[in-house]
Amino acid sequence: MKRTKIVDIFDPALIGSDVSVKGWVRTRRGNKHVQFVALNDGSTIKNIQIVFDMTRFTDEQLKPVTTGSAIHVTGKLVESMGKGQTCEIQADTLEVYGTADPEAYPLQKKGHTLEFLREKAHLRPRTNTFGAVLRIRSALAMAIHRFFQERGFFYLHTPLITASDAEGAGAMFQVTTLDLNDLPRTEDGKIDYSNDFFGKHTSLTVSGQLEGELGATALGAIYTFGPTFRAENSNTPRHLAEFWMIEPEVAFFDIKDNMDLAEDFIKYCVRYALDHCRDDIEFLSQMYDENLVARLESVLKDEFVRLSYSDGIKILEESGKKFEFPVYWGADLSSEHERYLVEEHFKRPVILTDYPKEIKAFYMKQNEDGKTVRAMDVLFPQIGEIIGGSEREESYEKLSKRIEELGIPMKDMWWYLDTRRFGTVPHSGFGLGFERLVLFVTGMTNIRDVIPFPRTPGNAEF
Ligand code: 4AD
Ligand code: MG
């Protein structure tokens, strides 16, 4: 008999037929006459209840059916009398694939804290919470590809190993095959990277943007979607050392087009999750955050506020609120400032633009005032910065002057500057932190709980 996934078993047309299900036991309870097993196979948050009539099974047969064990059951699907489920399976046959010693299996049925589960990241996908988060994460990845593909963007694969560290977005992880116990040295005592694998110093990328711009100024509109790495020692609920980023880049787009794209993009993803992951979102809402669905829906309904950094600073200064970090023109905003604007002042997402050039990357388009650049950060409730982007400086002169001012080695940047030497055009793009989007949609509060195997300072287990 062909296996039916549990997500498909609640189809009323199947009532009365024989079915075959396979999965992991969540709980078993009952008495000497009848035993009930809640089975989950990961295809849905829902369990199917299996009823064992103990005149047809022995205690010995049911004994290995404990929480965490893997079984195969065939039987008849019938309407259920019990509350909380529409149908159940009256078991005919039972096969045990793998047992799970109750003394050793860590996920017993009582609720575990998220902190405890982080220590068990190899098994936590089997919990309701992580099943829900990981299904939502997968659906959001699909939404992202659909959004861009429907709009004629091309998926560009940018390198993970890079020899330029020009983004300035954060500290980089070095990539080397040199023997760290016996490093080759140049005459002046420095490490001789000409003997390294790539013949030069290389690192893991912090962003695919610079290569993304090469794609956009050829294909017109591209997006990247891949892992990025930052070796900042920031132990916060919003930072990972390895995270996934989506970076669209579009030729002939100005900052206004870029803001429109960012707003449409996030709304599309949130709508997609509400349409495709309703059960999982409702489960998370019940467990952790009763306002989750309302918050997701309000983001869809409201237009994002668009505001300059300077006006944002004014609002913060006039708020009369004591912030941990001081607010003044020129200061980099921290998440308490961002969240004040979004959650308390405007009560909806905010796109902040035109930041001081000193706190933004070298490639952003310089404004006439000589002080600000055409940056845009999208700020979200609960999250703070979810997107960072800008219109790009397309003038070769202005860009190379800025590169010089900042002391970025020109020799590493020649290929990037060529986009401005040959057929340069106005263009714009942004980066969305995938895990921050998943955080928002799931209502989770720690970024370690929305990626299967988080990489953070001091933690690379699993
Ligand atoms: O603001 P960032 O640093 O921008 C860039 O990297 C640009 N190259 C993007 C572009 O214009 N193409 O990072 C973009 C986003 C942030 O808004 C945030 O959502 C996320 O990436 N992000 C992180 N997410 C998790 N952990 C970290 N350590 C992150 N650093 C940034
Ligand atoms: Mg940023």
Side-chain angles (χ1 to χ4, degrees):
M1 202 187 315
K2 201 166 155 269
R3 170 188 172 213
T4 304
K5 284 196 184 175
I6 294 173
V7 68
D8 298 322
I9 211 122
F10 303 97
D11 176 358
L14 290 178
I15 297 281
S17 60
D18 283 323
V19 294
S20 158
V21 291
K22 301 179 178 187
W24 293 270
V25 172
R26 284 294 165 80
T27 58
R28 173 161 70 88
R29 63 187 175 83
N31 53 44
K32 61 181 192 296
H33 308 296
V34 61
Q35 289 278 315
F36 300 98
V37 166
L39 193 71
N40 189 283
D41 67 2
S43 62
T44 163
I45 188 82
K46 292 181 190 153
N47 300 329
I48 184 75
Q49 172 157 284
I50 298 164
V51 184
F52 291 90
D53 175 350
M54 294 308 285
T55 60
R56 304 176 58 197
F57 292 88
T58 64
D59 288 349
E60 209 49 37
Q61 273 176 297
L62 268 284
K63 204 167 158 223
V65 182
T66 56
T67 298
S69 63
I71 62 173
H72 172 201
V73 171
T74 65
K76 192 178 196 175
L77 191 71
V78 298
E79 274 180 63
S80 174
M81 302 295 150
K83 63 173 181 0
Q85 70 245 345
T86 53
C87 59
E88 61 193 20
I89 295 170
Q90 289 172 342
D92 284 330
T93 67
L94 165 68
E95 177 187 359
V96 177
Y97 287 125
T99 58
D101 178 358
E103 298 299 314
Y105 185 61
L107 305 179
Q108 296 303 328
K109 64 183 168 186
K110 69 174 165 50
H112 297 291
T113 65
L114 294 169
E115 289 77 11
F116 171 84
L117 292 174
R118 266 172 233 149
E119 310 278 307
K120 306 277 179 276
H122 60 309
L123 293 171
R124 70 179 181 170
R126 293 196 196 174
T127 63
N128 285 332
T129 294
F130 286 90
V133 167
L134 295 179
R135 282 185 296 271
I136 292 169
R137 188 181 162 105
S138 169
L140 284 170
M142 183 68 182
I144 286 159
H145 284 296
R146 278 178 59 161
F147 176 85
F148 288 115
Q149 297 283 336
E150 282 169 6
R151 283 159 187 73
F153 285 60
F154 298 101
Y155 182 23
L156 186 78
H157 297 98
T158 49
L160 300 188
I161 298 175
T162 175
S164 78
D165 55 0
E167 162 78 13
M172 302 180 92
F173 291 101
Q174 193 174 327
V175 174
T176 182
T177 53
L178 292 178
D179 178 355
L180 298 183
N181 292 313
D182 184 18
L183 290 168
R185 301 276 173 181
T186 57
E187 271 168 20
D188 52 359
K190 297 215 172 85
I191 294 166
D192 183 3
Y193 285 104
S194 66
N195 283 316
D196 204 348
F197 189 89
F198 296 105
K200 51 166 76 169
H201 180 267
T202 54
S203 309
L204 294 176
T205 188
V206 295
S207 159
Q209 179 195 324
L210 302 190
E211 291 89 352
E213 288 184 54
L214 304 178
T217 52
L219 301 170
I222 62 91
Y223 68 105
T224 71
F225 186 176
T228 41
F229 308 88
R230 297 190 185 180
E232 296 144 289
N233 200 0
S234 43
N235 246 314
T236 83
R238 277 177 292 277
H239 288 88
L240 291 165
E242 176 180 288
F243 66 100
W244 288 64
M245 186 150 58
I246 299 95
E247 295 185 275
E249 191 71 35
V250 195
F252 317 112
F253 256 32
D254 65 15
I255 191 169
K256 162 85 172 43
D257 303 317
N258 208 30
M259 288 192 278
D260 292 344
L261 181 72
E263 183 165 346
D264 288 350
F265 173 46
I266 299 198
K267 286 181 170 172
Y268 182 99
C269 293
V270 172
R271 157 84 22 236
Y272 190 92
L274 281 168
D275 288 347
H276 292 81
C277 308
R278 199 78 204 194
D279 290 348
D280 288 322
I281 289 174
E282 273 167 11
F283 169 80
L284 293 171
S285 180
Q286 274 167 25
M287 286 295 290
Y288 300 101
D289 180 355
E290 56 181 14
N291 299 319
L292 177 60
V293 175
R295 193 160 61 245
L296 298 181
E297 275 165 0
S298 89
V299 157
L300 296 181
K301 187 166 77 347
D302 294 335
E303 255 179 55
F304 298 2
V305 175
R306 298 178 183 193
L307 185 78
S308 73
Y309 167 91
S310 300
D311 289 344
I313 290 288
K314 244 181 253 153
I315 292 171
L316 291 167
E317 281 173 341
E318 287 164 8
S319 71
K321 218 175 140 92
K322 272 266 154 290
F323 294 108
E324 193 188 337
F325 296 97
V327 185
Y328 54 91
W329 199 95
D332 208 351
L333 298 184
S334 58
S335 77
E336 55 169 345
H337 307 130
E338 297 170 340
R339 292 182 61 176
Y340 175 82
L341 290 174
V342 173
E343 289 164 32
E344 295 182 49
H345 190 83
F346 290 108
K347 299 193 166 52
R348 50 183 157 136
V350 174
I351 309 182
L352 216 53
T353 62
D354 302 290
Y355 284 71
K357 67 176 182 205
E358 284 74 22
I359 58 172
K360 289 293 181 188
F362 73 94
Y363 49 69
M364 295 190 181
K365 188 175 173 69
Q366 298 162 28
N367 281 321
E368 308 285 282
D369 63 11
K371 293 191 303 194
T372 59
V373 286
R374 228 161 278 179
M376 51 162 254
D377 278 9
V378 181
L379 313 180
F380 250 51
Q382 313 292 100
I383 307 294
E385 179 191 334
I386 194 164
I387 279 180
S390 74
E391 187 170 339
R392 316 306 188 191
E393 181 55 70
E394 83 260 23
S395 148
Y396 179 83
E397 284 71 33
K398 287 187 187 165
L399 185 61
S400 41
K401 196 162 152 258
R402 188 72 186 136
I403 288 176
E404 247 166 62
E405 269 169 21
L406 291 172
I408 299 167
M410 281 286 203
K411 67 166 182 26
D412 292 344
M413 295 306 293
W414 64 271
W415 51 272
Y416 181 68
L417 281 163
D418 267 7
T419 55
R420 275 63 166 179
R421 283 177 68 208
F422 306 120
T424 189
V425 289
H427 63 288
S428 301
F430 61 80
L432 168 80
F434 187 47
E435 284 73 21
R436 296 205 184 163
L437 175 69
V438 184
L439 265 182
F440 179 71
V441 172
T442 58
M444 294 280 101
T445 52
N446 192 313
I447 201 161
R448 293 165 180 78
D449 297 332
V450 296
I451 185 164
F453 306 105
R455 297 287 176 259
T456 51
N459 178 32
E461 192 71 48
F462 313 109

